[in-house]
Amino acid sequence: MKLTRTALALALSSGMFSSAAVAQYGSQQPSPSTSQPAAQASGQAQEAGKKPTISNSARKEIVALQTAVNAKNAAAIPAAIAAAKAKAKSKDDHYTIAQLQLKAAADANDNAAMVAGLQEVLNSGFLDASETLPLHMNLGKLQYNAKSYDAAAAAFEQVIKADPSNIEATVLLAETRSAQGRTADAVGMIQKAIATKNSAGQKADEAWYKRAVALSFNAKLPSATGLARDWVAAYPSPKNWRDAIRIYQTSSQLDDAALVDSMRLARATGALQGENDYFRYTNSLVTKGFPGEAKAVLDEGFAAKAIDRSRATFSQLYSAATQRAQGDRASLGAAATAAKSAADAKKAMTTAEAYYGYGDYREAAELLQLALTKSGVDKDLANLRLGMALAQAGDKAGATAALNAAGGAQSDVAKLWLTYLATKA
């Protein structure tokens, strides 16, 4: 006897993973959805043309079970399942019983019973190996919802073992690893998903980058800065640049010079925002002796209405920058001449930085190239600032070469500037 199966049409009211939920990485957990994993698994088997043939020995009991399930006779179902299993002789019998068991579990909105039903479907041996992958996927989703994270991870791993390029399983395993407290593994799985999608010629979802960055940053992993660079390289915007730069600043032990060089990048990318950004940047500039640049940045902030000129903090800072900037730019010519004849690099480095602050990027670059030939030069810092000046002057090739030569303590901020160069038209 052949038993024609109808679609289970399971309406699960509990929150489930789905393809849509995979992208919801901005939150700590995937967003709940109305996914129907058990129904999906059953439907996929039907599409494969699988029709179980019921044995004569179990026919009566399976029909009785089907009747009880369709009638939603909860009191009769457990005994009917037991009776059908006792008479079952074949894979087809066990598979059909498992499907009916699964439908009853879904009707009862019983997550644990749905997990058991899907496991019974798998254990029946009725489906081909390729047809079991959707079941493992949906079993993992159900187990995740039940907070059975070890079991969920095992199910997703089973899918990935058979299909290493399965992106959905990869990101779901990443979220499961996060729930297990294995943050580094979670980040690695998201990176794998991003690489898989990009290698297929598709752009990975921004939410994936953001989730990897958030996990890494919150766990204080050393990968946070690099992940932030990857994110802003794929999705450059002033807001994203601000976040990426702040992650670098927060993750690093920055002195005033390093802070200013990263804030100069924020200015170049339009990422300065709010009083804190403008104050930290301009106050550091005034303290370091570059009032002209501080005044220019404050003027930009006032014009953009990002900061309030009437606020005492900024009015006082602006007054100090304006007073100290008087005659400063006019003195740079003499300072440059003195730098050229100086034995060491200090004067050339300082004067070049002042020229940079006034937007005279070519003059700054020339002095930095000169500094690299003098004694006492910090080559990493000189190459960083040379790259910055050339980038602002429009010499992309020269800037790239200089920034690539900036290592040591300047490596991370140089890489951020290289990312900026790569995103420029």
Side-chain angles (χ1 to χ4, degrees), residues 62-186:
I62 289 176
V63 169
L65 172 60
Q66 184 181 44
T67 300
V69 170
N70 288 342
K72 298 184 180 181
N73 187 348
I77 288 172
I81 290 174
K85 286 183 176 180
K87 293 288 187 174
K89 298 295 184 183
S90 65
K91 295 177 181 179
D92 299 57
D93 291 346
H94 287 290
Y95 177 75
T96 304
I97 294 166
Q99 288 280 24
L100 291 167
Q101 182 178 342
L102 186 57
K103 183 180 188 305
D107 287 342
N109 195 27
D110 186 335
N111 195 82
M114 284 186 278
V115 169
L118 272 175
Q119 195 63 63
E120 292 274 1
V121 172
L122 284 166
N123 293 343
S124 72
F126 175 75
L127 297 174
D128 296 334
S130 62
E131 294 170 333
T132 64
L133 293 186
L135 275 78
H136 284 294
M137 178 73 79
N138 293 308
L139 182 61
K141 296 172 185 178
L142 286 165
Q143 288 167 324
Y144 181 96
N145 266 12
K147 302 187 186 303
S148 298
Y149 299 126
D150 291 347
F156 296 136
E157 285 177 326
Q158 186 77 13
V159 177
I160 294 169
K161 182 179 179 181
D163 181 11
S165 63
N166 191 306
I167 293 179
E168 183 184 14
T170 301
V171 294
L172 294 181
L173 179 57
E175 207 57 51
T176 305
R177 292 297 187 221
S178 176
Q180 290 175 307
R182 295 171 56 175
T183 305
D185 291 336

Side-chain angles (χ1 to χ4, degrees), residues 228 231-232 235-250 262-263 265-267 269-278 280 416:
W231 167 36
V232 81
Y235 291 93
S237 70
K239 182 181 183 303
N240 290 354
W241 267 113
R242 183 174 189 270
D243 289 343
I245 292 168
R246 289 295 295 273
I247 286 168
Y248 159 70
Q249 292 172 339
T250 305
S262 62
M263 295 306 282
L265 177 59
R267 183 186 182 192
T269 57
L272 291 176
Q273 180 181 335
E275 294 185 351
N276 187 55
D277 283 2
Y278 280 93
R280 291 169 73 215
L416 279 169

Side-chain angles (χ1 to χ4, degrees), residues 111-365:
N111 195 82
M114 284 186 278
V115 169
L118 272 175
Q119 195 63 63
E120 292 274 1
V121 172
L122 284 166
N123 293 343
S124 72
F126 175 75
L127 297 174
D128 296 334
S130 62
E131 294 170 333
T132 64
L133 293 186
L135 275 78
H136 284 294
M137 178 73 79
N138 293 308
L139 182 61
K141 296 172 185 178
L142 286 165
Q143 288 167 324
Y144 181 96
N145 266 12
K147 302 187 186 303
S148 298
Y149 299 126
D150 291 347
F156 296 136
E157 285 177 326
Q158 186 77 13
V159 177
I160 294 169
K161 182 179 179 181
D163 181 11
S165 63
N166 191 306
I167 293 179
E168 183 184 14
T170 301
V171 294
L172 294 181
L173 179 57
E175 207 57 51
T176 305
R177 292 297 187 221
S178 176
Q180 290 175 307
R182 295 171 56 175
T183 305
D185 291 336
V187 170
M189 295 306 297
I190 298 173
Q191 288 178 291
K192 179 183 176 183
I194 290 170
T196 299
K197 193 160 188 179
N198 288 343
S199 65
Q202 301 172 343
K203 191 172 184 179
D205 297 350
E206 183 179 10
W208 297 2
Y209 288 98
K210 292 171 72 174
R211 181 61 167 155
V213 168
L215 286 171
S216 186
F217 180 77
N218 290 335
K220 296 181 170 58
L221 299 180
S223 58
T225 299
L227 288 166
R229 286 197 306 269
D230 292 342
W231 167 36
V232 81
Y235 291 93
S237 70
K239 182 181 183 303
N240 290 354
W241 267 113
R242 183 174 189 270
D243 289 343
I245 292 168
R246 289 295 295 273
I247 286 168
Y248 159 70
Q249 292 172 339
T250 305
S251 301
S252 307
Q253 298 296 323
L254 300 184
D255 58 18
D256 284 346
L259 173 65
V260 166
D261 288 332
S262 62
M263 295 306 282
R264 285 169 173 154
L265 177 59
R267 183 186 182 192
T269 57
L272 291 176
Q273 180 181 335
E275 294 185 351
N276 187 55
D277 283 2
Y278 280 93
F279 180 78
R280 291 169 73 215
Y281 185 9
T282 56
N283 187 61
S284 295
L285 287 169
V286 171
T287 301
K288 287 176 85 269
F290 301 110
E293 184 176 356
K295 180 179 181 300
V297 172
L298 288 169
D299 280 332
E300 291 170 5
F302 296 148
K305 300 189 184 306
I307 49 177
D308 185 353
R309 185 192 293 264
S310 67
R311 288 286 298 270
T313 298
F314 291 106
S315 63
Q316 292 169 10
L317 189 58
Y318 187 72
S319 177
T322 301
Q323 290 175 8
R324 296 180 192 182
Q326 291 178 3
D328 182 60
R329 187 168 192 170
S331 70
L332 293 184
T337 299
K340 291 173 184 177
S341 62
D344 62 33
K346 184 177 180 180
K347 188 69 173 176
M349 290 288 292
T350 303
T351 308
E353 195 170 3
Y355 270 123
Y356 181 98
Y358 284 111
D360 295 330
Y361 303 119
R362 288 292 178 186
E363 291 85 349

